Every structure is written in structure tokens, then in C-alpha cells.
């Protein structure tokens, strides 16, 4: 498992940080996957604009026109003095939505999670229990250790993003029964769970974790960066989810489409302490209402936006099933929100190569499909790629992405059937 996770992390780093020498030459029409020529061309070379469908993440959204207008017109003040009316209004709305007494606007959900850990675990060397694939554990630079002095114990995630309750309780019991173990003080959950493919944690599981935490005097924080996706998928109010937590973060710059910002919510005493930690971390902002105004628009439109995203993601997953291609497959029951994890089981193309082929545009594709479409996907692990829907991806974009996948899969299969190695789909069959 560690080897697979390491391979996946390496793939994701390469994709995020841009092309190396080989991919750079491919972008200029040079070397492609496996060392063969891959004729990647821009829209101008094909004589028409190139349409891009960006499914790498829901963080790539652009602020809507409504958001831009709200940002330009926002009433502002010094938020560090508590005088920004737009921020204050957003915090009030978020606290009410999340069923908490108070909320604090912060620059990012990563900061919100770190603040939560620092508020709940004020003793250095305290222990945090969480899943091994949790965003807070893998993708936040170990801030809880570097900054907060908190020790994380990572437990194995189950396929649906939940924790094994017996393992969780055993970890707590072992720590409480030993003078050598760090003392656990906090359990962190992620909802939806991104590494599990956007799965929404079952309400019954949340209740059981909360009850376990109460038995041993622990607290529960939820990394709710995509919490509203879970609420829409489960057809419940967000407060029905967060009732099982002591604190929760919510991100505005993912599916909600705002350019920046998150909130951290909890009791009034917790948020008062969170304000102090935010200041310590450099997160105190001044006329932050220009950001809060965009977040407010995203919050107001969340249900409609996310419901559409979920529908498009399911359509893509069904389309992959209908392709019946041996090169890729999906588990439909696992597609609960806006993410689709696509299994790529064979040796060729690999997830990274398939992503490169989906990104490429060839003359043959234009001639055969009538479209010049570049689809951006994310090579998630050694045998998995990820697609994420968001407000800027329409139903038509989804169909174009499916058509492109069908074209690429067909051309790759033609090469395999002819006993040919890796190369451009446009060369298959010739």
C-alpha cells in the first residue's frame, strides 16, 4: 500500500508542477508516452479554437460574473477589528447553516484545519487520530506537527472513507493505558473524503465516532472542505452532519467557486480562541469583505450548483460503463458526489499516459469526431485517474469529455489489437 501511495503521490506531483523535459517536448509535437511521436497541437494549428474541459479539480473554477459584481460592490471595514460588515454577515450565515454558535472567516481550509487542531490540542505532544489518506494528514505539509507540536496517528481508511471503529477505539485504549503513548485529544474526519473519491461519510458512522470520542473525553473536528457536497448527496441539512462534531471547516474555493476563503465554526469560546490562533498564523485580514462577498454568492447558489455537478459526474461514470473498454472502468456506487475515480488496470496506457492522450488534440480526432477537445484529468495513483466536476463544467462539456475518452480508448485498443506498443492514437491502424 505504501508503494502504491508513493507512486500515486509522485504522479500527482509531476502533474501539478507541470511538464518535465519529455512532456515539454510532447507539448511541442515531440516525444510522447513510451517515446513515440505524439502529435499534440493547439487549436490554431487545427484551424479552429480548442475547447478545454478542465476536470483536474473543483479548485480551478473562475469567479462568476455575480461574484465579481458582489466583490466590486462589497461593503468593507477592518475585519481584524471585527468591523467588516460583509465578513460578519458571512460568518453569521455560515454558523447558522452549520448549526454552530459562531464561525470565523479565514484565508484557506488548510489554515482552518490547523487552527482547529491548535485550539483543541493546546498541550504539545498531544495526539490526533485520523485516516491515513486524510487531506489534513497527507496534503497540508504536516502543519499539525511542524506548527502545533501535535503527533498524528494515522489509521487505515476503509474504501468509503470511514474509519474502522474497533481500530479507532483500540488506539485510544492503548494510549490511555500506557505511560509511553502520546495522549489522544482529537479525532479528525474528512467529509466528503477526497482520497476515497468524494464519498460522503454516513450519518450513523459520524454518530458512532462522536459517541466514542465522548466516552474517552476526546473532541471531533471535521475537515468539511466539501461538506456541502455531502449534504446535497445525502439530502440533509449541513447541521444534521455537523451535530456530531465539535468544530468544522468549510471551503468556499472548491465546489462553491469563490476565489478564496473558508470558515471554521464551533462554539463561541472555541471561535474566540480560533481568532487568536488565526492572528498567530498571519491569517488576520483587513478589508476581507471583497472575498467574503464572493463566498456569500457561492453559498447561496450551492445546492443548485452542486446538484448539477453530481449529476454530470454520474453521467460521466455511466458513460464509461457504456464504453465497456478494458482500458478503464468505474464503480458506479462509489460515485456519490462530484468526483469520479477511474480505474486504469493495464500496463499501457498508464493513468499519466491516458491523461496525456486526453489532453492532446490531433487532426485525426478533429476529422473523426468533429471536435477539438482537450480534457484535463488528474493521474491519482498507479492505476487510477481522477475527474472532478465543478460549476464551470457543463452537461455538454461532460458529453465532449466522454466522446474524447471513447476516441482515445478506441485508438489505444486498435494499437493493442495490432500488437503495437505505445504511440499516438492517430497512428493506430495505419
Amino acid at each position: 500500500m505504501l508503494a502504491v501511495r508513493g507512486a500515486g503521490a509522485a504522479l500527482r506531483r509531476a502533474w501539478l508542477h507541470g511538464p518535465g523535459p519529455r512532456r515539454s517536448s510532447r507539448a511541442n509535437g515531440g516525444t510522447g508516452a513510451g517515446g513515440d511521436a505524439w502529435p499534440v497541437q493547439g487549436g490554431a494549428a487545427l484551424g479552429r479554437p480548442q475547447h478545454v474541459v478542465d476536470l483536474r479539480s473543483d479548485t480551478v473554477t473562475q469567479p462568476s460574473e455575480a461574484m465579481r459584481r458582489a466583490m466590486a460592490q462589497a461593503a468593507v471595514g477592518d475585519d481584524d477589528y471585527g468591523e467588516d460588515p460583509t465578513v460578519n454577515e458571512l460568518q453569521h450565515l455560515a454558523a447558522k447553516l452549520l448549526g454552530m454558535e459562531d464561525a470565523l472567516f479565514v484565508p484557506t481550509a488548510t489554515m482552518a484545519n490547523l487552527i482547529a487542531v491548535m485550539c483543541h490540542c493546546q498541550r504539545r505532544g498531544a495526539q490526533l487520530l485520523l485516516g491515513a489518506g486524510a487531506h489534513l494528514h497527507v496534503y497540508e505539509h504536516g502543519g499539525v506537527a511542524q506548527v502545533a507540536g501535535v503527533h498524528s496517528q494515522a489509521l487505515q481508511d476503509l474504501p468509503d472513507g470511514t474509519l474502522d471503529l474497533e481500530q479507532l477505539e483500540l488506539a485510544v485504549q492503548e494510549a490511555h493505558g500506557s505511560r509511553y503513548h502520546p495522549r489522544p485529544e482529537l479525532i479528525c474526519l474528512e467529509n466528503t473524503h477526497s482520497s476515497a473519491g468524494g464519498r460522503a461519510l454516513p450519518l450513523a458512522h459520524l454518530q458512532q465516532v462522536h459517541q466514542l470520542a465522548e466516552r474517552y473525553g476526546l473532541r471531533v473536528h471535521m475537515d468539511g472542505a466539501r461538506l456541502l457536497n455531502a449534504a446535497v448527496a445525502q439530502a440533509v441539512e449541513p447541521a444534521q452532519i455537523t451535530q456530531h462534531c465539535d468544530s468544522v471547516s468549510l471551503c468556499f474555493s472548491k465546489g462553491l467557486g469563490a476565489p478564496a476563503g473558508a470558515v471554521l465554526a464551533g462554539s463561541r469560546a472555541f471561535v474566540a480562541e480560533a481568532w487568536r490562533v488565526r492572528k498567530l498564523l498571519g491569517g488576520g485580514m483587513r478589508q476581507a469583505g471583497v472575498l467574503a462577498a464572493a463566498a456569500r454568492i457561492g453559498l447561496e447558489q450551492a445546492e443548485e450548483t452542486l446538484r448539477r455537478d453530481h449529476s454530470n459526474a454520474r453521467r460521466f461514470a455511466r458513460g464509461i460503463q457504456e464504453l465497456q473498454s478494458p482500458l478503464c472502468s468505474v464503480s458506479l456506487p462509489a460515485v456519490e458526489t462530484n468526483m469520479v475515480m477511474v480505474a486504469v488496470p493495464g500496463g499501457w496506457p498508464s493513468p499519466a499516459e491516458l491523461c496525456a492522450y486526453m489532453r492532446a488534440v490531433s487532426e485525426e480526432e478533429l476529422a473523426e469526431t468533429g471536435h477539438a477537445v482537450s480534457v484535463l484529468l488528474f493521474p491519482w495513483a498507479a492505476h487510477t485517474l481522477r475527474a472532478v466536476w465543478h460549476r464551470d463544467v457543463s452537461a455538454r462539456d461532460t458529453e465532449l469529455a466522454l466522446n474524447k475518452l471513447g476516441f482515445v480508448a478506441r485508438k489505444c485498443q486498435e494499437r493493442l489489437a495490432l500488437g503495437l506498443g505505445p504511440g499516438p492514437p492517430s497512428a493506430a491502424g495505419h
Side-chain angles (χ1 to χ4, degrees):
M1 290 297 294
L2 288 175
V4 171
R5 188 177 298 121
L11 284 171
R12 294 192 290 273
R13 282 196 299 272
W15 201 249
L16 281 173
H17 293 310
R22 172 171 291 186
R23 190 170 291 145
S24 178
S25 63
R26 182 189 302 135
N28 292 315
T31 302
D36 289 306
W38 179 267
V40 180
Q41 300 182 30
L46 296 175
R48 64 167 61 189
Q50 180 177 311
H51 186 74
V52 177
V53 180
D54 195 341
L55 299 175
R56 290 172 299 169
S57 176
D58 48 8
T59 62
V60 302
T61 54
Q62 298 290 311
S64 67
E65 287 303 316
M67 287 181 179
R68 293 174 187 270
R69 287 194 299 271
M71 293 170 74
Q73 299 168 4
V76 297
D78 192 322
D79 180 49
D80 224 32
Y81 293 164
E83 296 175 354
D84 191 302
T86 308
V87 170
N88 292 341
E89 183 181 31
L90 177 67
Q91 291 173 162
H92 174 76
L93 288 172
K96 184 177 180 180
L97 178 73
L98 299 172
M100 297 291 181
E101 290 182 348
D102 207 352
L104 182 69
F105 187 55
V106 298
T108 68
T110 294
M111 181 180 284
N113 290 333
L114 178 56
I115 292 172
V117 173
M118 293 178 71
C119 289
H120 288 307
C121 303
Q122 297 190 353
R123 177 176 55 182
R124 290 189 67 82
Q127 188 178 62
L128 158 67
L129 299 168
L130 77 177
H135 193 281
L136 198 153
H137 182 62
V138 182
Y139 301 111
E140 299 184 8
H141 275 286
V144 297
Q146 290 200 73
V147 181
V150 172
H151 173 74
S152 295
Q153 180 169 345
L155 306 175
Q156 184 61 51
D157 297 286
L158 298 178
D160 63 354
T162 61
L163 297 174
D164 184 309
L165 294 175
E166 290 185 3
Q167 285 190 359
L168 177 60
E169 185 162 18
L170 180 61
V172 176
Q173 289 175 342
E174 286 179 341
H176 276 268
S178 171
R179 293 188 299 173
Y180 301 99
H181 283 69
R183 184 57 57 90
E185 295 186 358
L186 181 65
I187 300 170
C188 284
L189 304 173
E190 182 181 344
N191 197 16
T192 63
H193 197 293
S194 61
S195 291
R199 303 292 293 271
L201 302 187
L203 296 179
H205 180 75
L206 298 178
Q207 183 178 28
Q208 290 171 316
V209 171
H210 193 204
Q211 290 171 345
L212 187 156
E214 286 186 326
R215 284 200 301 274
Y216 293 96
L218 278 65
R219 290 169 293 277
V220 178
H221 170 68
M222 178 177 288
D223 174 0
R226 297 181 175 93
L227 173 67
L228 298 191
N229 289 92
V232 168
Q234 295 174 327
V236 299
E237 294 296 324
Q240 289 181 253
I241 298 174
T242 60
Q243 66 178 313
H244 304 299
C245 308
D246 296 285
S247 61
V248 58
S249 61
L250 173 65
C251 185
F252 296 118
S253 62
K254 292 186 172 67
L256 303 190
V263 287
L264 176 62
S267 68
R268 286 192 180 86
F270 171 84
V271 172
E273 181 62 21
W275 187 96
R276 297 172 62 85
V277 178
R278 183 186 71 173
K279 189 66 175 176
L280 165 69
L281 298 176
M285 297 179 286
R286 301 300 177 177
Q287 289 71 36
V290 292
L291 296 176
R296 166 80 184 264
I297 297 294
L299 208 56
E300 291 173 346
Q301 299 175 349
E303 184 171 358
E304 178 185 356
T305 299
L306 300 181
R307 196 177 301 281
R308 183 173 62 248
D309 292 344
H310 296 182
S311 176
N312 287 334
R314 286 192 296 271
R315 167 62 189 129
F316 187 78
R318 288 195 303 271
I320 292 178
Q321 276 204 335
E322 292 164 4
L323 283 177
Q324 297 184 328
S325 171
L327 300 182
C328 56
S329 62
V330 296
S331 170
L332 274 179
V335 182
E336 296 178 351
T337 58
N338 65 324
M339 294 187 187
V340 179
M341 293 297 199
V342 182
V344 185
W348 178 81
S350 68
E353 289 167 330
L354 189 55
C355 287
Y357 295 166
M358 291 291 288
R359 191 170 193 157
V361 177
S362 68
E363 292 179 355
E364 184 176 7
E365 175 194 350
L366 180 58
E368 190 169 319
T369 69
H371 299 289
V373 182
S374 176
V375 180
L376 309 186
L377 300 166
F378 205 94
W380 185 257
H383 296 289
T384 310
L385 64 83
R386 187 187 76 171
V388 185
W389 270 257
H390 50 83
R391 188 191 59 218
D392 294 343
V393 179
S394 66
R396 178 178 179 273
D397 290 331
T398 303
E399 295 301 325
L400 288 173
L402 270 174
N403 291 340
K404 177 62 174 272
L405 182 58
F407 169 80
V408 169
R410 185 168 63 256
K411 295 302 177 182
C412 288
Q413 285 180 262
E414 288 174 3
R415 288 189 65 82
L416 290 171
L418 292 170
L420 301 175
S426 59
H430 297 290

XYZ file of all heavy atoms in Angstrom, residues 221-286:
474
model
N -13.131 17.000 15.182
C -13.113 18.074 14.182
C -13.378 17.469 12.813
O -12.824 16.415 12.470
C -11.770 18.806 14.160
C -11.625 19.741 12.985
N -12.381 20.894 12.855
C -10.836 19.670 11.858
C -12.063 21.506 11.726
N -11.131 20.779 11.096
N -14.201 18.138 12.012
C -14.469 17.678 10.655
C -13.834 18.627 9.651
O -14.123 19.830 9.652
C -15.968 17.586 10.382
C -16.305 17.149 8.955
S -18.078 16.953 8.688
C -18.374 15.457 9.631
N -12.957 18.067 8.823
C -12.478 18.794 7.651
C -13.616 18.724 6.643
O -13.755 17.757 5.904
C -11.207 18.134 7.111
C -10.732 18.744 5.798
O -11.383 19.684 5.304
O -9.719 18.259 5.256
N -14.425 19.770 6.638
C -15.607 19.791 5.782
C -15.402 20.647 4.556
O -16.335 21.354 4.128
N -14.214 20.585 3.961
C -13.932 21.388 2.765
C -15.044 21.222 1.739
O -15.491 22.180 1.122
C -12.584 21.006 2.177
N -15.534 19.974 1.570
C -16.626 19.692 0.624
C -17.864 19.193 1.365
O -18.604 18.344 0.873
C -16.164 18.680 -0.424
C -15.025 19.173 -1.310
C -14.621 18.142 -2.348
N -13.612 18.647 -3.275
C -12.290 18.499 -3.105
N -11.820 17.874 -2.030
N -11.443 18.985 -4.006
N -18.085 19.733 2.546
C -19.214 19.304 3.373
C -20.552 19.479 2.673
O -21.452 18.636 2.786
C -19.214 20.105 4.683
C -20.416 19.893 5.598
C -20.426 18.488 6.161
C -20.425 20.924 6.723
N -20.699 20.562 1.923
C -21.993 20.800 1.276
C -22.250 19.786 0.167
O -23.410 19.490 -0.140
C -22.061 22.225 0.736
C -21.956 23.334 1.799
C -22.312 24.688 1.198
C -22.830 23.047 3.004
N -21.200 19.238 -0.433
C -21.392 18.131 -1.373
C -22.015 16.937 -0.661
O -22.903 16.262 -1.199
C -20.054 17.707 -1.990
C -19.515 18.726 -2.973
O -18.754 19.611 -2.591
N -19.890 18.605 -4.234
N -21.555 16.676 0.557
C -22.112 15.566 1.334
C -23.567 15.832 1.682
O -24.425 14.929 1.587
C -21.295 15.355 2.607
N -23.876 17.058 2.072
C -25.249 17.397 2.447
C -26.193 17.243 1.259
O -27.303 16.704 1.399
C -25.304 18.821 3.000
N -25.769 17.707 0.088
C -26.603 17.577 -1.110
C -26.778 16.106 -1.473
O -27.877 15.655 -1.805
C -25.979 18.363 -2.280
C -26.662 18.019 -3.597
C -26.082 19.868 -2.014
N -25.691 15.331 -1.412
C -25.763 13.917 -1.780
C -26.669 13.136 -0.834
O -27.378 12.213 -1.271
C -24.364 13.305 -1.775
N -26.671 13.498 0.441
C -27.472 12.774 1.432
C -28.839 13.403 1.673
O -29.617 12.892 2.470
C -26.691 12.686 2.746
C -25.420 11.846 2.628
C -24.567 11.883 3.882
O -24.505 12.899 4.589
N -23.884 10.783 4.178
N -29.106 14.518 0.957
C -30.391 15.212 1.077
C -30.712 15.573 2.524
O -31.826 15.351 3.019
C -31.508 14.366 0.471
N -29.723 16.148 3.212
C -29.906 16.589 4.589
C -29.366 18.001 4.734
O -28.598 18.482 3.898
C -29.194 15.652 5.596
C -29.759 14.235 5.510
C -27.685 15.652 5.375
N -29.768 18.673 5.794
C -29.198 19.969 6.110
C -27.779 19.772 6.643
O -27.500 18.786 7.344
C -30.046 20.687 7.164
C -31.433 21.069 6.685
C -31.394 22.075 5.543
O -30.498 22.945 5.554
O -32.250 21.979 4.645
N -26.863 20.683 6.328
C -25.496 20.534 6.837
C -25.426 20.369 8.350
O -24.563 19.635 8.851
C -24.826 21.835 6.382
C -25.582 22.244 5.163
C -27.006 21.843 5.419
N -26.327 21.023 9.074
C -26.313 20.927 10.537
C -26.588 19.512 11.022
O -26.177 19.141 12.127
C -27.322 21.897 11.138
N -27.294 18.697 10.218
C -27.523 17.308 10.606
C -26.235 16.506 10.568
O -26.101 15.496 11.268
C -28.564 16.664 9.683
C -29.970 17.165 9.898
C -30.969 16.481 8.972
O -31.475 17.067 8.017
N -31.229 15.223 9.253
N -25.286 16.940 9.751
C -23.976 16.296 9.694
C -23.088 16.808 10.813
O -22.448 16.033 11.529
C -23.322 16.553 8.324
C -24.173 15.957 7.201
C -21.907 15.990 8.286
C -23.677 16.278 5.801
N -23.055 18.112 10.992
C -22.104 18.708 11.934
C -22.529 18.575 13.388
O -21.732 18.879 14.275
C -21.912 20.201 11.612
O -23.166 20.873 11.713
C -21.369 20.382 10.207
N -23.735 18.107 13.653
C -24.159 17.906 15.045
C -23.272 16.886 15.752
O -23.231 16.841 16.990
C -25.616 17.444 15.097
C -25.858 16.073 14.493
C -27.303 15.633 14.606
O -27.895 15.745 15.679
N -27.877 15.162 13.507
N -22.557 16.104 14.983
C -21.700 15.076 15.561
C -20.255 15.550 15.704
O -19.361 14.733 15.938
C -21.751 13.814 14.695
C -23.135 13.283 14.489
N -23.931 12.861 15.536
C -23.880 13.123 13.364
C -25.092 12.444 15.064
N -25.087 12.606 13.754
N -20.025 16.857 15.560
C -18.659 17.392 15.613
C -18.585 18.546 16.601
O -19.571 19.233 16.866
C -18.228 17.901 14.236
S -18.439 16.698 12.915
N -17.386 18.776 17.121
C -17.141 19.933 17.982
C -16.735 21.156 17.171
O -16.921 22.286 17.624
C -16.043 19.595 19.005
C -16.471 18.485 19.951
O -17.289 18.751 20.844
O -16.003 17.343 19.766
N -16.171 20.919 15.991
C -15.813 22.019 15.107
C -15.824 21.498 13.680
O -15.738 20.289 13.432
C -14.432 22.592 15.456
O -13.419 21.608 15.309
N -15.918 22.423 12.721
C -15.962 22.042 11.313
C -15.402 23.172 10.465
O -15.600 24.353 10.764
C -17.409 21.709 10.878
C -18.344 22.897 11.107
C -17.466 21.263 9.423
N -14.668 22.804 9.423
C -14.214 23.778 8.435
C -15.048 23.621 7.170
O -15.572 22.534 6.897
C -12.728 23.576 8.101
O -12.505 22.288 7.554
N -15.187 24.698 6.421
C -15.916 24.682 5.158
C -15.171 25.573 4.178
O -14.879 26.732 4.491
C -17.347 25.191 5.349
C -18.184 25.386 4.075
C -18.435 24.052 3.387
C -19.506 26.087 4.397
N -14.868 25.034 2.990
C -14.102 25.773 1.987
C -15.033 26.413 0.972
O -15.987 25.786 0.514
C -13.126 24.830 1.283
S -12.018 25.661 0.134
N -14.737 27.651 0.602
C -15.534 28.356 -0.405
C -14.914 28.297 -1.800
O -15.569 28.654 -2.780
C -15.708 29.825 -0.011
C -16.490 30.023 1.249
C -15.903 30.621 2.352
C -17.807 29.608 1.349
C -16.615 30.810 3.524
C -18.532 29.780 2.511
C -17.933 30.388 3.614
N -13.646 27.874 -1.898
C -12.941 27.964 -3.185
C -12.877 26.629 -3.922
O -12.106 26.487 -4.873
C -11.521 28.511 -2.973
O -10.767 27.641 -2.161
N -13.692 25.664 -3.520
C -13.786 24.404 -4.257
C -15.099 24.413 -5.029
O -15.287 25.235 -5.917
C -13.632 23.214 -3.308
C -12.226 23.096 -2.720
C -12.050 21.855 -1.900
C -10.585 21.655 -1.494
N -10.107 22.676 -0.562
N -16.018 23.526 -4.699
C -17.250 23.449 -5.467
C -18.093 24.711 -5.436
O -18.883 24.956 -6.348
N -17.935 25.537 -4.407
C -18.732 26.759 -4.319
C -18.202 27.838 -5.258
O -18.892 28.820 -5.514
C -18.778 27.269 -2.878
C -19.330 26.281 -1.842
C -19.555 26.980 -0.502
C -20.610 25.615 -2.319
N -16.978 27.693 -5.738
C -16.489 28.527 -6.829
C -15.927 29.876 -6.475
O -15.586 30.649 -7.378
N -15.817 30.217 -5.202
C -15.243 31.516 -4.838
C -13.727 31.481 -5.048
O -13.118 30.409 -5.049
C -15.563 31.861 -3.388
N -13.086 32.639 -5.213
C -11.645 32.639 -5.461
C -10.798 32.284 -4.248
O -9.655 31.858 -4.400
C -11.364 34.072 -5.930
C -12.465 34.884 -5.361
C -13.669 33.993 -5.348
N -11.324 32.467 -3.040
C -10.538 32.193 -1.833
C -11.475 32.181 -0.634
O -12.602 32.664 -0.696
C -9.444 33.250 -1.636
N -10.983 31.616 0.461
C -11.695 31.734 1.724
C -12.302 30.445 2.243
O -12.630 29.533 1.479
N -12.416 30.383 3.566
C -13.033 29.254 4.262
C -13.546 29.776 5.590
O -13.229 30.896 6.001
C -12.026 28.126 4.477
N -14.346 28.961 6.256
C -14.752 29.300 7.619
C -14.423 28.140 8.534
O -14.372 26.977 8.112
C -16.259 29.628 7.747
C -16.583 30.971 7.152
C -17.118 28.529 7.159
N -14.213 28.463 9.793
C -14.071 27.489 10.863
C -15.167 27.784 11.872
O -15.285 28.924 12.341
C -12.690 27.605 11.514
C -12.440 26.707 12.721
C -12.521 25.227 12.341
C -11.076 27.017 13.348
N -15.984 26.791 12.185
C -17.148 27.011 13.045
C -17.098 26.100 14.261
O -16.571 24.990 14.208
C -18.434 26.770 12.256
N -17.683 26.591 15.340
C -17.754 25.833 16.591
C -18.461 26.642 17.649
O -19.252 27.553 17.332
N -18.168 26.368 18.904
C -18.766 27.134 19.992
C -18.178 28.546 20.014
O -17.134 28.815 19.407
C -18.496 26.447 21.334
O -17.103 26.518 21.640
N -18.838 29.457 20.745
C -18.337 30.841 20.817
C -16.953 30.878 21.471
O -16.066 31.618 21.021
C -19.316 31.714 21.597
C -20.572 32.048 20.832
C -21.398 33.132 21.500
N -22.594 33.415 20.713
C -23.734 32.752 20.804
N -23.844 31.767 21.683
N -24.760 33.066 20.029
N -16.766 30.077 22.520
C -15.463 30.060 23.186
C -14.387 29.511 22.245
O -13.261 30.026 22.211
C -15.541 29.206 24.451
N -14.735 28.492 21.482
C -13.785 27.913 20.525
C -13.409 28.939 19.463
O -12.227 29.114 19.134
C -14.405 26.670 19.877
C -13.618 26.123 18.726
C -12.554 25.255 18.935
C -13.944 26.465 17.409
C -11.820 24.752 17.871
C -13.222 25.962 16.345
C -12.146 25.099 16.575
N -14.382 29.651 18.913
C -14.102 30.618 17.847
C -13.323 31.813 18.387
O -12.473 32.388 17.684
C -15.417 31.050 17.159
C -15.179 32.205 16.191
C -16.027 29.859 16.421
N -13.571 32.185 19.646
C -12.791 33.271 20.244
C -11.311 32.890 20.311
O -10.426 33.704 20.020
C -13.324 33.593 21.641
N -11.030 31.641 20.683
C -9.646 31.169 20.707
C -9.107 31.025 19.280
O -7.933 31.308 19.017
C -9.569 29.835 21.443
C -8.161 29.256 21.563
C -7.209 30.138 22.364
O -7.671 30.984 23.153
O -5.981 29.975 22.186
N -9.971 30.611 18.361
C -9.562 30.465 16.968
C -9.125 31.807 16.385
O -8.200 31.867 15.564
C -10.703 29.872 16.145
N -9.772 32.891 16.793
C -9.384 34.215 16.309
C -7.943 34.518 16.705
O -7.156 35.029 15.900
C -10.307 35.282 16.899
C -10.091 36.662 16.319
C -10.778 37.248 15.301
C -9.078 37.613 16.723
N -10.271 38.498 15.044
C -9.230 38.743 15.890
C -8.083 37.608 17.686
C -8.414 39.869 16.018
C -7.245 38.725 17.805
C -7.425 39.841 16.974
N -7.575 34.157 17.936
C -6.210 34.403 18.412
C -5.204 33.584 17.607
O -4.126 34.076 17.232
C -6.102 34.063 19.895
C -6.971 34.932 20.799
C -6.972 34.408 22.223
N -5.640 34.429 22.805
C -5.083 35.481 23.404
N -5.774 36.619 23.511
N -3.879 35.418 23.914
N -5.547 32.319 17.317
C -4.628 31.461 16.564
C -4.530 31.932 15.108
O -3.458 31.884 14.505
C -5.076 29.988 16.652
C -4.141 29.098 15.836
C -5.098 29.527 18.101
N -5.650 32.387 14.558
C -5.606 32.936 13.204
C -4.619 34.096 13.134
O -3.837 34.214 12.174
C -7.002 33.403 12.765
C -7.054 33.932 11.328
C -8.415 34.522 10.970
N -8.671 35.787 11.652
C -9.724 36.580 11.409
N -10.622 36.210 10.504
N -9.873 37.701 12.073
N -4.638 34.949 14.136
C -3.710 36.079 14.170
C -2.270 35.579 14.250
O -1.378 36.100 13.551
C -4.037 36.957 15.378
C -3.280 38.282 15.402
C -3.710 39.171 14.254
C -3.046 40.538 14.331
N -3.391 41.375 13.157
N -2.038 34.577 15.070
C -0.705 33.999 15.212
C -0.176 33.484 13.877
O 1.001 33.661 13.547
C -0.760 32.844 16.222
C 0.433 31.884 16.252
C 1.662 32.588 16.805
C 0.109 30.647 17.080
N -1.058 32.864 13.085
C -0.653 32.261 11.824
C -0.624 33.254 10.659
O -0.336 32.879 9.527
C -1.599 31.103 11.476
C -1.607 29.938 12.467
C -2.657 28.918 12.063
C -0.230 29.298 12.568
N -0.912 34.499 10.930
C -0.874 35.508 9.874
C -2.127 35.536 9.025
O -2.119 36.062 7.910
N -3.213 34.993 9.559
C -4.448 34.930 8.784
C -5.411 36.065 9.038
O -6.524 36.067 8.484
N -5.026 37.028 9.860
C -5.877 38.183 10.083
C -5.908 39.061 8.848
O -4.861 39.521 8.385
N -7.090 39.292 8.319
C -7.212 40.089 7.094
C -7.902 41.412 7.410
O -8.574 41.550 8.422
C -7.988 39.306 6.040
C -7.284 38.020 5.599
S -8.217 37.087 4.370
C -9.518 36.385 5.397
N -7.750 42.365 6.554
C -8.347 43.691 6.768
C -9.670 43.798 6.017
O -10.659 43.247 6.441
C -7.335 44.765 6.349
C -6.026 44.678 7.126
C -6.213 44.856 8.622
N -4.959 44.703 9.355
C -4.831 44.875 10.661
N -5.890 45.197 11.383
N -3.663 44.714 11.250
